[in-house]
Amino acid sequence: MDAVRVRDLTHRFGDGEAAKPVLHRLSLRVAAGEVVLLTGPSGSGKTTLLTLIGGLRAVQEGSCVVLGTELAGADEARRVALRRRVGFIFQHHNLLGFLTAQQNVAMALEVDASLRERERLDRAAAMLAAVGIADKARAYPATLSGGQRQRVAIARALVHEPGLILADEPTAALDGRTGHETMELLQRLAKEQRRTVFIVTHDPRIHDIADRVIAMEDGRIVEGAHV
Amino acid sequence: MAYAGNRRGAAPSVLLPFRLAWRQLRHEKARLAAAISGVVFACLLIFMQLGFMTALFDSAVQVQTSLDADLFLMHSTTEALWRSTPFPRARLAQALALPEVERVAPIYVQNVVWRNPQTSLKRTLLLFGVDPTAGVIAFPGLTPEGLAAITQPDVILFDARAKPEFGAVPAWLAEGPVISELGNRRVQVAGLFRIGATFGSEGNALTSEANFWRFVPSHSPAHVNVGAIVLRAGADAAAAQAALRRLLPTDVMVLTKPELIAFERDYWANTAPIGFIFGLGVAIGLIVGCVIVYQILFSDIARHLGEYATLKAMGYSDGYLVRVVMGEALILAVLGYIPGWLLGLGLYELASARIFIPLTMTVEKSAGVFALVFGMCVVSGLLAIRKLRDADPADMF
């Protein structure tokens, strides 16, 4: 089964005459368990594509099926439900400053009110151990290094066992070595847990972690796409 | 998982955002302190305004509450006791025609100048003239000896709770006879009762009808300020009131005791601007509190817009984030109310000791102020959550 299946996706910003198209009849498939990298220059529309796949924007034209959910015509509630099955890793870590590392990771589990608090914290602690910073569980983000914060963010994106992990320029705020290390870690965990990963980046140093690299330009896939 | 969710009910969906709200507030102690002091300030302002307002109302009707009769007559143009228009005494005689009426008693009321015998300062007090045997005056602390004494010429009973500017009459009385001037006439104080300063008068005195006309020669004996009507045992006050209204000309109004009290209270609440002023004070307290809490909540959301957007991206619903903000508002309400209540109590004590108008902290007042402050924080929260719309997870990338 495909984790992501996009067909003839067109997206415009603005209204009427002034509307600026960013995606042109774009089609794309990501198979379950695949680690896919999407590259391309700024303004090529790759971030827009990511927000559409993540259910953060309403689909305008075309079809976008993510984890079996058709997002074309989906209302906010349906998109919120999808987001809970997706793990997000942002360019900046976007951790909550008033929560410890462990509490931040547990936030991904708090969406599900049925879990017990103990279970949430245990799973968060285990995930922090998996990303190699078990000793930082009680630290606040402000006291962590950039690499450590991004590891907490990775733990948060993985802890609720999402069907798809979306990452946007995850290495942008990190130096080259730390960036590569964290991406290797993400790739290893994804492979161990058979998670699908879709990374938007223009960092050529991390191409080696991907099963497949797709390039975009002017709202179209230009190479590496299998539709 | 769905089954487990049903089993554990809705409690976590309220408690979890509440906990997040508390964690967010707790993280920045200085901001939390500022927010709480804003609520405390609003609390105090409201407590003081309400305290003065209820004290005003309670004190304004002290005399009325201490009158022992079933029905009362007042001139129809009278607005308040201290400035009442006298009506013809004949109305009381007419009222006697009603079979339910057992007896009637006129009450004369007039502002009279009293001279403080020690400082010679002159101040106005409210003098009541009444037949001491009529049994319609039940001022607290009144004794049979006192009522007997005022039948003698130029003798009055004095308000032990009058403002200190009138002189330490109770203390002097304990040592010997107190002689002074009332309405430019020599007067002797023979005893005490306890009414206290009201917003209409700073002190009160009671004497017989005959003495009243001596101190207030301008007041015609044929015109009375209040007519007290005592009904026969078992008579229906409402029916008697209706009958009297039919019987008497329209220059007088017929009031039951609760109506008499309500009448005086309404005067201070509505006719005099005092009730309005205190109401305005409460409103200003609420608005100031609202602005402070709104400001804190709004800037909290604005500063954490990224975090809120992240939570939305992670699948948190708008409703969840609304609950977080409302949770913050409610926590601020409670945390601000507790010190606000304690400080309010302290200020009440201070005010009672300094200005001799008793401010009392009642359960009703405590609950009422809490409700107002709670409502204030809810309104602030509701205004602030509009800012949540700016937290767009699509902007996170």
Side-chain angles (χ1 to χ4, degrees):
Chain A
M1 196 196 89
D2 292 335
V4 178
R5 197 165 64 243
V6 173
R7 184 164 289 279
D8 293 332
L9 193 63
T10 298
H11 201 88
R12 293 179 187 86
F13 286 130
D15 291 314
E17 293 292 305
K20 184 172 156 283
V22 280
L23 298 179
H24 299 279
R25 298 178 59 82
L26 185 144
S27 296
L28 167 80
R29 273 180 163 181
V30 179
E34 225 183 343
V35 174
V36 174
L37 222 88
L38 181 66
T39 66
S42 314
S44 59
K46 54 190 195 306
T47 296
T48 306
L49 178 60
L50 194 77
T51 56
L52 285 167
I53 291 172
L56 301 175
R57 260 182 227 289
V59 171
Q60 292 172 347
E61 245 183 273
S63 160
C64 180
V65 180
V66 178
L67 302 174
T69 301
E70 172 60 86
L71 290 174
D75 59 6
E76 175 72 12
R78 205 179 166 99
R79 286 191 280 131
V80 167
L82 172 78
R83 283 182 221 156
R84 296 183 181 186
R85 297 162 58 209
V86 173
F88 288 97
I89 299 170
F90 305 94
Q91 183 168 349
H92 300 286
H93 57 85
N94 286 351
L95 299 174
L96 305 189
F98 55 91
L99 296 182
T100 64
Q102 190 178 14
Q103 287 167 343
N104 261 293
V105 176
M107 277 311 288
L109 297 169
E110 257 188 49
V111 199
D112 180 0
S114 71
L115 290 179
R116 289 184 187 284
E117 182 65 9
R118 189 70 258 152
E119 191 181 344
R120 279 193 203 106
L121 291 176
D122 287 349
R123 279 171 68 177
M127 206 61 230
L128 283 173
V131 297
I133 47 168
D135 55 323
K136 298 291 182 191
R138 292 182 182 282
Y140 284 92
T143 66
L144 298 175
S145 71
Q148 288 169 333
R149 286 178 205 164
Q150 200 57 301
R151 280 166 190 255
V152 178
I154 289 171
R156 181 175 66 177
L158 291 173
V159 71
H160 57 304
E161 299 173 356
L164 173 68
I165 292 145
L166 297 177
D168 181 50
E169 306 284 1
T171 59
L174 304 175
D175 65 75
R177 206 171 66 93
T178 317
H180 196 260
E181 267 174 21
T182 46
M183 285 306 100
E184 262 182 351
L185 172 74
L186 173 64
Q187 190 248 12
R188 181 170 56 77
L189 291 171
K191 286 296 170 192
E192 277 171 18
Q193 301 176 8
R194 297 180 207 292
R195 308 254 172 262
T196 314
V197 182
F198 190 74
I199 303 172
V200 164
T201 185
H202 50 234
D203 184 352
R205 293 167 299 194
I206 61 169
H207 284 193
D208 59 317
I209 66 150
D211 299 328
R212 184 154 63 100
V213 177
I214 305 171
M216 252 182 95
E217 216 168 277
D218 292 331
R220 293 181 179 86
I221 304 285
V222 288
E223 60 178 274
H226 308 276
V227 179
Chain B
M1 210 74 101
Y3 166 72
N6 291 337
R7 183 167 50 87
R8 288 173 64 84
S13 63
V14 176
L15 290 178
L16 289 177
F18 209 75
R19 185 178 68 176
L20 196 65
W22 169 235
R23 283 174 171 171
Q24 184 170 343
L25 282 174
R26 185 188 59 179
H27 190 66
E28 284 169 278
K29 306 272 189 305
R31 284 180 65 81
L32 178 61
I36 288 175
S37 43
V39 180
V40 170
F41 173 75
C43 258
L44 267 186
L45 204 55
I46 297 166
F47 264 126
M48 289 325 285
Q49 300 292 334
L50 280 185
F52 283 126
M53 189 157 70
T54 47
L56 156 73
F57 291 151
D58 290 348
S59 72
V61 297
Q62 269 247 282
V63 170
Q64 284 79 355
T65 3
S66 320
L67 294 179
D68 198 2
D70 302 298
L71 295 174
F72 297 88
L73 299 185
M74 283 203 292
H75 195 277
S76 48
T77 62
T78 289
E79 285 187 308
L81 183 66
W82 67 277
R83 43 177 295 204
S84 53
T85 316
F87 63 87
R89 188 169 177 158
R91 300 286 171 266
L92 280 172
Q94 285 172 280
L96 271 174
L98 204 70
E100 291 98 320
V101 174
E102 187 182 281
R103 58 197 156 88
V104 295
I107 300 169
Y108 299 88
V109 185
Q110 184 74 46
N111 284 304
V112 187
V113 174
W114 157 272
R115 190 177 70 93
N116 179 334
Q118 193 174 53
T119 62
S120 291
L121 278 176
K122 294 193 171 181
R123 286 186 95 87
T124 304
L125 53 67
L126 202 58
L127 180 67
F128 292 85
V130 72
D131 174 5
T133 62
V136 294
I137 299 283
F139 289 171
L142 210 56
T143 59
E145 295 76 32
L147 285 173
I150 54 173
T151 55
Q152 295 158 36
D154 298 328
V155 171
I156 61 165
L157 301 178
F158 204 81
D159 187 349
R161 290 200 182 142
K163 287 233 176 116
E165 286 83 355
F166 286 95
V169 177
W172 299 334
L173 203 58
E175 292 165 11
V178 176
I179 310 288
S180 187
E181 260 175 49
L182 185 66
N184 291 323
R185 202 181 160 86
R186 187 179 176 277
V187 67
Q188 186 194 339
V189 177
L192 299 168
F193 61 89
R194 295 189 305 274
I195 289 286
T198 70
F199 285 80
S201 70
E202 296 183 311
N204 303 282
L206 176 67
T207 191
S208 64
E209 289 170 286
N211 280 331
F212 183 85
W213 296 319
R214 285 194 188 95
F215 294 120
V216 196
S218 61
H219 201 294
S220 155
H223 285 81
V224 306
N225 298 83
V226 180
I229 297 170
V230 180
L231 300 177
R232 286 185 204 288
D236 178 16
Q241 182 186 30
L244 279 175
R245 278 181 180 156
R246 282 193 301 274
L247 185 72
L248 298 175
T250 51
D251 62 344
V252 288
M253 50 185 164
V254 188
L255 304 169
T256 62
K257 189 172 169 181
E259 283 171 357
L260 183 78
I261 293 171
F263 185 81
E264 192 77 10
R265 197 181 288 266
D266 287 350
Y267 168 77
W268 292 108
N270 303 320
T271 317
I274 296 170
F276 171 75
I277 288 167
F278 286 116
L280 197 66
V282 170
I284 289 172
L286 282 174
I287 291 169
V288 169
C290 237
V291 168
I292 294 173
V293 175
Y294 168 75
Q295 200 54 47
I296 293 281
L297 292 178
F298 180 88
S299 63
D300 244 13
I301 298 175
R303 281 153 23 102
H304 293 113
L305 218 48
E307 278 95 331
Y308 281 112
T310 305
L311 289 174
K312 277 194 191 180
M314 285 164 66
Y316 283 91
S317 62
D318 288 336
Y320 192 98
L321 300 185
V322 166
R323 289 198 288 278
V324 172
V325 176
M326 294 314 284
E328 286 189 48
L330 301 186
I331 290 169
L332 289 179
V334 172
L335 289 188
Y337 178 78
I338 295 167
W341 186 86
L342 289 171
L343 285 171
L345 192 65
L347 276 183
Y348 275 17
E349 301 286 323
L350 197 69
S352 305
R354 285 287 166 83
I355 58 171
F356 301 96
I357 290 177
L359 303 186
T360 46
M361 185 65 84
T362 60
V363 176
E364 291 83 13
K365 211 179 286 170
S366 306
V369 173
F370 183 71
L372 283 175
V373 168
F374 196 80
M376 169 187 95
C377 289
V378 168
V379 168
S380 312
L382 289 174
L383 290 173
I385 56 177
R386 294 179 309 167
K387 182 71 182 166
L388 276 179
R389 276 186 236 144
D390 293 351
D392 183 358
D395 294 340
M396 294 315 300
F397 292 97

